[in-house]
Amino acid sequence: MDLSRVAAHEPERVTDEDRDAAVLVPVVEREDGPALVFTKRADHLGEHPGQMSFPGGGREPSDDDLRETAAREAYEEISLLPEDLSYEGQLDDIATITGYSVTPFVARVPDREFVPDEREVDEVVVLSLSDLTDPANYEVEKRIHPSYGEAIVHFFHVDGYTVWGATARILVQFLDLACGWTPPDREPEVVEVEPDD
């Protein structure tokens, strides 16, 4: 892993969405190599229940900027102290189907026990970069939705967890910049999505 390319990256912004949000991509160093910290969202949440995500959420009026949003949410969700964050850079914004423009910030964080806020987070999960970049743990679909059109959807299956959706889109860019990883060249399965999905 080399985070210098993350630091040098000029992020693309999304400005046509209704709501701003930010996430933290937390990097920890372990004896067996670097890893990323994810949350498994609580099943009772209205948006994306049970999905894997990076700590983060919507911008509040009290947040000075989106980096403060990411830091505040990481503290609220997994007890990461703002002073424990060593920022390395920013990735491209992504637009979500729920109307958010999400800005990802990459930061090194201490490898310690993370305490989940049970109101929002079922579990804190640390996944190694070596597993996330293993081609055997990756698959891809081309989803065709009658309202949203075509979309490539990435899936990372590691240790019984699946990272997909917006989080996987962020992860793909992080792995490209930090590890020189590109998705395996394979034909995606085509999936027709029902209108109410």
Side-chain angles (χ1 to χ4, degrees):
M1 179 185 70
D2 178 3
L3 295 182
S4 64
R5 288 183 62 202
V6 173
H9 180 67
E10 289 290 337
E12 295 183 9
R13 298 302 317 273
V14 171
T15 58
D16 57 352
E17 296 301 318
D18 296 332
R19 297 176 286 182
D20 285 333
V23 298
L24 189 73
V25 181
V27 182
V28 296
E29 290 287 349
R30 295 194 151 179
E31 288 185 6
D32 57 351
L36 299 180
V37 181
F38 296 85
T39 62
K40 184 173 184 291
R41 293 171 59 83
D43 287 330
H44 65 265
L45 294 177
E47 292 181 349
H48 313 296
Q51 290 188 15
M52 300 292 288
S53 65
F54 291 116
R59 183 174 184 171
E60 298 289 345
S62 58
D63 296 335
D64 288 339
D65 54 29
L66 286 168
R67 194 164 95 164
E68 187 171 306
T69 299
R72 175 183 53 76
E73 289 282 347
Y75 174 70
E76 292 174 1
E77 291 183 4
I78 64 172
S79 71
L80 255 177
L81 297 172
E83 56 264 34
D84 286 342
L85 307 180
S86 176
Y87 289 97
E88 296 289 342
Q90 182 178 329
L91 305 177
D92 294 346
D93 288 2
I94 62 165
T96 71
I97 61 172
T98 50
Y100 279 100
S101 169
V102 181
T103 301
F105 295 91
V106 178
R108 292 183 185 271
V109 303
D111 184 18
R112 60 168 177 79
E113 182 179 356
F114 302 100
V115 181
D117 177 353
E118 295 178 354
R119 295 170 298 177
E120 298 185 60
V121 177
D122 274 346
E123 189 178 356
V124 180
V125 180
V126 181
L127 302 179
S128 73
L129 288 188
S130 61
D131 286 337
L132 289 167
T133 55
D134 184 341
N137 295 332
Y138 173 84
E139 66 175 315
V140 63
E141 290 179 358
K142 178 190 283 187
R143 293 195 173 180
I144 302 174
H145 193 284
S147 301
Y148 303 116
E150 293 185 6
I152 295 297
V153 182
H154 307 275
F155 297 86
F156 296 83
H157 306 287
V158 177
D159 295 338
Y161 301 98
T162 299
V163 179
W164 69 288
T167 304
R169 287 162 55 199
I170 294 169
L171 179 58
V172 165
Q173 186 181 36
F174 173 82
L175 295 177
D176 171 32
L177 291 172
C179 306
W181 180 87
T182 54
D185 185 16
R186 58 182 67 150
E187 193 66 28
E189 178 185 355
V190 177
V191 177
E192 299 273 353
V193 180
E194 295 298 321
D196 38 306
D197 281 0

